[in-house]
Amino acid sequence: MVMRKKSLIFCLIFAGILLFGGLSAVSNAAERNYLRVGLFYGNTSEDRYEIYFDNGVRIGRLSDNYITNESNYEDVRKVIAIAKNGYSEIVLQDKYGDEIRRFDLADRNIILPLDFEDDGSFSVKGQNYRGGVYFNDFKGTLNLINYIDEEKYLYGVVGNEIGKSVPIEAQKAQAIACRSYARVKRGTHENYGFDICSTPHCQYYKGKDSEVSAVRRAVDDTFGKTVKYDGKTVAAFYSKNSGGYTSASEDIWNERLGYLRAKQDIYSPDFTWKKSMSKREIEAKLINAGKSIGDLQAMRIEERSDAGAVKRLAFIGNTGTVIIEKDKIRTTLGASDIKSLMFTFGGDFRNIKENKQYVGESNVASKNNTMTVIGKNMQTIVDVTDNVACIASDGTENRVQNIRLANLKGIARSGLFTVPDLKNEGSKATENTATAGGLSDRIGGSDYIKVDDTVLFTGLGYGHGVGMSQDGAIEMAKRGFTYDEILNYYYNDISIE
């Protein structure tokens, strides 16, 4: 009988710990997926923050994704976090500004709205965010971090990445790509004490104020789904515009990833850009990158990828030559200026429309000046340098003289052959792993320039060009493709689960 009483007492004590010891958030964190998103950190961190809540707070300690020592304060409306003279604390105030209690940040470092599980939120610096707020010390200041459910985080990301008014199937594809990226990149900023940042370095997160109902629907409709390759969730890289050809991962970075291969992207609309840089400006950028060549005399593109992206760029000076490779080219010269690696020197885009290829499904890789033509009773690869010959299944030939690619749609109307434009019901997104050939054939210009005063960069696309093209996804959605068809077009051999 004594043993039974002791067992009962132990069970009651353990149950009390579960109910009142602050472990409830631990089970929630296991069931959901919570992220620590850096809002103000490093150079943007401050020594004082004022955070506002509507319906009270729960305060506790977050460590290794476990929240312990929780306490509820229903009357709290304002929390002040202060770092001063090597000491950090949190002050709780009611709606009148009267102090309720204060804590050492070493003991309590996370504040959740009392209605945390019911879409509770807080505001700081005039912006509203779902979830709670977490602090850690940083060089005499405080990093302010948003502790938020992964799905609610996506509400504040997807629209900022692809657009709030684009077709919903494109938003769904973006939601899955963003969710996949966040899962894989969790811990990227562990040196600052959080998982991912709120800037485009990770994903552009602007909190609750940036949400719209269409994006919330896209996130909810794809709840929990990620891009998987070989059964594992992978980083679903994406950029604004592929420039007509997506790049293989190893052509931009170093690692070869099987689901990120180079391919012709017939759905990305043309995105052209130009940037003029002075000789002195380029020399200064090289010095900032730790490279010195003296007086810049010439630049030469040493190597391109199959997609046409610059892989090796030589800067030739009077004291030496420096070669910069892949994504470091944009990092060195400025990613906002050099919008992609698909560039030449001094191009004029005169052949962009003529060289926009529309291809049908084919296992044959097209070559320079070739095109896949789909007829009513045939499909073939044709040379369009001077002439186009349409060979029907019975072997008869219809030849059109002096054709230019710009005229293909007009010729298609003649009934000789068709060029696929819109998705037909039940059809699959057309694919082609063709190489891009010389980029100068598409936009003009040269791979070598003698530098006297300025250099004119002429390019296609925006971003690294690996994985999904956001502009292409939008175009596919407009043509009736679903989110899974979009993702399977841009990522090889994947599943969406």
Side-chain angles (χ1 to χ4, degrees), residues 203-223:
Q203 296 185 129
Y204 196 17
Y205 170 66
K206 296 180 67 176
K208 189 174 181 179
D209 295 335
S210 70
E211 296 177 10
V212 295
S213 58
V215 168
R216 288 194 291 267
R217 176 188 162 194
V219 173
D220 292 345
D221 286 353
T222 61
F223 180 86

Side-chain angles (χ1 to χ4, degrees), residues 127-349:
Q127 299 293 317
N128 294 297
Y129 299 90
R130 295 178 185 269
V133 60
Y134 161 65
F135 299 97
N136 59 35
D137 289 302
F138 180 77
K139 298 180 179 180
T141 64
L142 295 173
N143 290 329
L144 188 152
I145 299 155
N146 188 187
Y147 185 74
I148 185 170
D149 170 66
E150 177 184 79
E151 299 296 313
K152 304 302 172 57
Y153 158 78
L154 293 174
Y155 287 172
V157 169
V158 173
N160 299 313
E161 284 289 352
I162 197 168
K164 299 175 184 179
S165 59
V166 303
I168 192 167
E169 292 302 313
Q171 291 176 336
K172 289 178 182 180
Q174 184 69 63
I176 294 172
C178 286
R179 185 182 293 112
S180 304
Y181 188 89
R183 293 253 183 111
V184 174
K185 294 298 180 178
R186 185 188 298 266
T188 295
H189 291 280
E190 195 60 53
N191 56 320
Y192 287 113
F194 57 88
D195 295 311
I196 53 181
C197 69
S198 56
T199 74
H201 173 270
C202 290
Q203 296 185 129
Y204 196 17
Y205 170 66
K206 296 180 67 176
K208 189 174 181 179
D209 295 335
S210 70
E211 296 177 10
V212 295
S213 58
V215 168
R216 288 194 291 267
R217 176 188 162 194
V219 173
D220 292 345
D221 286 353
T222 61
F223 180 86
K225 291 184 178 181
T226 62
V227 174
K228 293 190 175 183
Y229 180 74
D230 283 345
K232 297 180 181 178
T233 297
V234 292
F237 292 98
Y238 54 89
S239 60
K240 176 172 174 52
N241 189 290
S242 69
Y245 289 82
T246 67
S247 288
S249 58
E250 69 271 20
D251 289 336
I252 304 300
W253 305 304
N254 291 318
E255 185 179 2
R256 186 188 189 282
L257 299 171
Y259 65 99
L260 297 173
R261 312 315 310 140
K263 67 186 299 182
Q264 185 180 8
D265 177 8
I266 67 171
Y267 299 104
S268 280
D270 295 328
F271 186 100
T272 62
W273 58 269
K274 289 185 178 183
K275 176 63 181 178
S276 181
M277 284 190 190
S278 70
K279 176 178 181 175
R280 299 306 172 211
E281 191 178 357
I282 296 172
E283 289 170 350
K285 289 176 182 289
L286 290 172
I287 291 172
N288 288 339
K291 314 289 184 183
S292 179
I293 59 170
D295 182 66
L296 178 63
Q297 298 178 340
M299 295 171 62
R300 181 173 61 240
I301 295 171
E302 299 281 344
E303 183 183 358
R304 290 186 183 276
S305 70
D306 287 344
V310 178
K311 291 181 70 173
R312 301 174 75 241
L313 178 61
F315 299 84
I316 303 164
N318 66 338
T319 62
T321 297
V322 165
I323 295 178
I324 300 179
E325 299 184 349
K326 302 179 182 180
D327 67 317
K328 291 184 175 60
I329 297 170
R330 293 183 69 214
T331 303
T332 300
L333 296 177
S336 60
D337 291 327
I338 307 302
K339 291 182 166 47
S340 74
L341 289 176
M342 298 181 70
F343 64 80
T344 63
F345 302 120
D348 56 15
F349 307 120

